[in-house]
Amino acid sequence: MSQTNKLKIFNDPIYGFITIPNSLVYDLIQHPYFQRLRRISQMGLSYLVYPGAHHTRFHHALGAMHMMQQAVEVLRFKEVAISKEEENALLIAILLHDIGHGPFSHAMEHSIVEEVNHEAISLLFMDKLNEEFGGQLSLAIQVFKGEYHRKFMLQLVSSQLDMDRMDYLKRDSFYSGVAEGNINSDRLIQMMNVVDDVLVMEEKGIYSIEKFLMARRLMYWQAYLHKTSLVAELTLTKTLQRAKELLHKGIEIECSKPLKYFMEHKVTLDNFSTHDLDTFTQLDDFDIISALKVWQFNDDFILSSLSKMIINRDLSKIKLNSEKFPAEVLQEMSSQFAKENNITIQEAKYFIFKGKIKNQAYSKDAEPIRILKKDRTIEDVVEASDQLNLKALSKPVTKYFICFPKLLAEI
């Protein structure tokens, strides 16, 4: 294929046209590892709450790359030297930052591939692709790991104001219809600068940053931590755990080969082989949905009930509270449910459980968002802002929840 055919464009509903800058990026997008992201939903089971939220991680990775292209252009205009190799490394690092996500992302991390998080798998994918592409991803991997000497490059890929967050807030807000999450990414990118190899935001962009942090906080409460999304994801986690438990008891469970492989084998980062990686590339949302459709009719009461809850969107009740729920409430519900359904109290825990969620829009412990003031001094955004709400946004808010079947709602 001639080089010119590889300089294609994608039509994106948010940014308009996204251009593929060169043939290496084109070949990475074409790779089966990356194409798999078309079959992984960006917001997990949130479409059970927001019917429009069916967009994929493929969408998001391209959007984040587009943002990075804009950021490089702005920084070069402000006379920040970025070589062609460095630009490519930035584009590849952001393009592949989510490549290690499994189906329905976090549900997998808590039930099947338990000891390996998606960032670690992303790195394994990058190393494998680097071999295939003759070392052309080496600099991108250095940037991704934070090992490159120019610190601002990692900040563009992963920080409290990176291209990843900038795209997912705008995109998730667009597809879910949660308007509060919309941010002015163009303005934010225009305000970027680099001082002593550290990313800073010019002072006149401070209101856009406040809006960005507020949008992040609202998107967490309204979308990512929405109580129905939360109960759906937890139910999926419990369903996968139950299927795994039955398999380990020697009970035959019908599902795709790749899914069964990860349920049967305990995979850790130390023993994550090439074969494991190849099997992982075969896994996507469709394996999980197909399995749930079959498991609805399984003889096991727990597996079939949990699967039906997700397939038919007939989910458990969930109550949120600022205080912890007393343990006796859980015990009372569990014993009643166990008795009514002829299961053990231990098994009732698949249906009745509690936990907590935390939302913090801005962390003071992480790399700060730095404001470049007119007198060229640099200050943390919380100190530079005249808004008291930014101090409030940096305080973590914890909520406690309890989940239980609707039949018990009367207790």
Side-chain angles (χ1 to χ4, degrees), residues 66-201:
H66 176 71
M67 292 288 194
M68 189 67 85
Q69 286 173 302
Q70 287 184 312
V72 168
E73 199 178 312
V74 165
L75 292 174
R76 277 188 178 148
F77 181 75
K78 292 179 183 179
E79 298 183 346
V80 177
I82 298 172
S83 70
K84 201 75 197 140
E85 290 72 34
E86 288 172 329
E87 177 184 9
N88 240 2
L90 283 169
L91 295 180
I92 291 167
I94 198 73
L95 186 70
L96 303 180
H97 77 281
D98 266 352
I99 199 166
H101 265 292
F104 297 111
S105 310
H106 307 290
M108 284 290 288
E109 283 179 23
H110 296 130
S111 57
I112 291 182
V113 192
E114 284 175 74
E115 292 181 25
V116 198
N117 62 23
H118 68 269
E119 290 90 353
I121 299 176
S122 290
L123 260 174
L124 292 170
F125 272 125
M126 285 187 188
D127 289 334
K128 188 94 173 15
L129 286 166
N130 199 26
E131 277 174 40
E132 275 187 46
F133 284 86
Q136 291 182 84
L137 278 68
S138 299
L139 190 56
I141 292 169
Q142 254 187 299
V143 169
F144 187 80
K145 285 170 144 179
E147 291 170 358
Y148 192 56
H149 65 279
R150 303 192 73 185
K151 197 175 172 186
F152 79 91
M153 292 199 173
L154 175 64
Q155 289 171 284
L156 287 170
V157 176
S158 178
S159 68
Q160 297 203 71
L161 189 60
D162 57 27
M163 301 305 112
D164 172 32
R165 288 181 186 192
M166 230 176 265
D167 180 79
Y168 78 60
L169 281 176
K170 208 168 171 62
R171 188 168 300 279
D172 296 350
S173 130
F174 176 89
Y175 280 96
S176 61
V178 177
E180 289 81 359
N182 196 5
I183 55 164
N184 189 346
S185 52
D186 288 342
R187 169 86 176 155
L188 287 164
I189 289 173
Q190 287 299 329
M191 293 301 114
M192 287 181 168
N193 209 331
V194 171
V195 175
D196 298 329
D197 265 337
V198 172
L199 191 68
V200 294
M201 300 296 285

Side-chain angles (χ1 to χ4, degrees), residues 24 121 154 212 237 272 281 311 354:
L24 173 61
I121 299 176
L154 175 64
F212 166 84
T237 303
F272 209 101
T281 63
I311 292 293
K354 58 182 188 167

Side-chain angles (χ1 to χ4, degrees), residues 229-256:
S229 300
L230 185 64
V231 76
E233 187 170 302
L234 291 164
T235 305
L236 178 57
T237 303
K238 299 275 179 196
T239 314
L240 293 167
Q241 282 169 351
R242 180 59 175 177
K244 195 172 172 178
E245 190 189 334
L246 293 173
L247 256 179
H248 285 268
K249 282 181 179 169
I251 296 164
E252 191 48 44
I253 294 291
E254 246 187 283
C255 62
S256 72

Side-chain angles (χ1 to χ4, degrees), residues 39 157 325:
R39 304 186 299 279
V157 176
F325 287 91

Side-chain angles (χ1 to χ4, degrees), residues 223-408:
Y224 311 131
L225 297 176
H226 184 289
K227 62 180 194 169
T228 309
S229 300
L230 185 64
V231 76
E233 187 170 302
L234 291 164
T235 305
L236 178 57
T237 303
K238 299 275 179 196
T239 314
L240 293 167
Q241 282 169 351
R242 180 59 175 177
K244 195 172 172 178
E245 190 189 334
L246 293 173
L247 256 179
H248 285 268
K249 282 181 179 169
I251 296 164
E252 191 48 44
I253 294 291
E254 246 187 283
C255 62
S256 72
K257 269 188 182 169
L259 182 55
K260 188 172 274 188
Y261 177 83
F262 281 102
M263 289 203 288
E264 285 175 339
H265 296 81
K266 189 173 168 61
V267 179
T268 65
L269 198 53
D270 297 334
N271 70 6
F272 209 101
S273 65
T274 309
H275 176 259
D276 294 338
L277 195 64
D278 289 341
T279 311
F280 189 83
T281 63
Q282 301 304 312
L283 267 183
D284 55 49
D285 290 5
F286 294 93
D287 294 80
I288 304 291
I289 295 293
S290 306
L292 294 175
K293 284 168 70 181
V294 175
W295 294 347
Q296 294 178 93
F297 308 106
N298 194 280
D299 293 339
D300 181 67
F301 167 74
I302 297 165
L303 186 64
S304 68
S305 303
L306 293 171
S307 301
K308 279 176 194 157
M309 282 179 178
I310 301 168
I311 292 293
N312 304 324
R313 197 197 177 277
D314 186 11
L315 299 160
S316 290
K317 293 279 284 182
I318 178 168
K319 279 190 177 168
L320 292 172
N321 201 348
S322 51
E323 302 292 317
K324 285 183 178 175
F325 287 91
E328 46 274 23
V329 172
L330 207 67
Q331 283 158 359
E332 196 183 325
M333 285 182 169
S334 299
S335 54
Q336 186 189 325
F337 188 75
K339 201 154 66 186
E340 283 173 5
N341 293 285
N342 201 18
I343 56 174
T344 66
I345 288 191
Q346 192 59 34
E347 288 172 330
K349 286 181 181 166
Y350 277 108
F351 299 92
I352 300 155
F353 48 89
K354 58 182 188 167
K356 63 179 181 182
I357 47 175
K358 194 172 92 166
N359 187 359
Q360 187 174 14
Y362 182 72
S363 169
K364 287 180 173 171
D365 305 329
E367 177 94 30
I369 295 174
R370 296 178 177 86
I371 301 297
L372 176 65
K373 303 189 79 166
K374 290 193 174 62
D375 60 6
R376 306 299 289 171
T377 58
I378 292 172
E379 210 173 9
D380 186 324
V381 68
V382 174
E383 308 310 321
S385 165
D386 57 5
Q387 291 294 316
L388 289 171
N389 67 1
L390 274 203
K391 284 199 169 56
L393 285 178
S394 54
K395 282 199 174 72
V397 178
T398 302
K399 288 185 183 179
Y400 298 90
F401 64 82
I402 186 166
C403 295
F404 51 91
K406 284 179 179 158
L407 303 171
L408 292 171

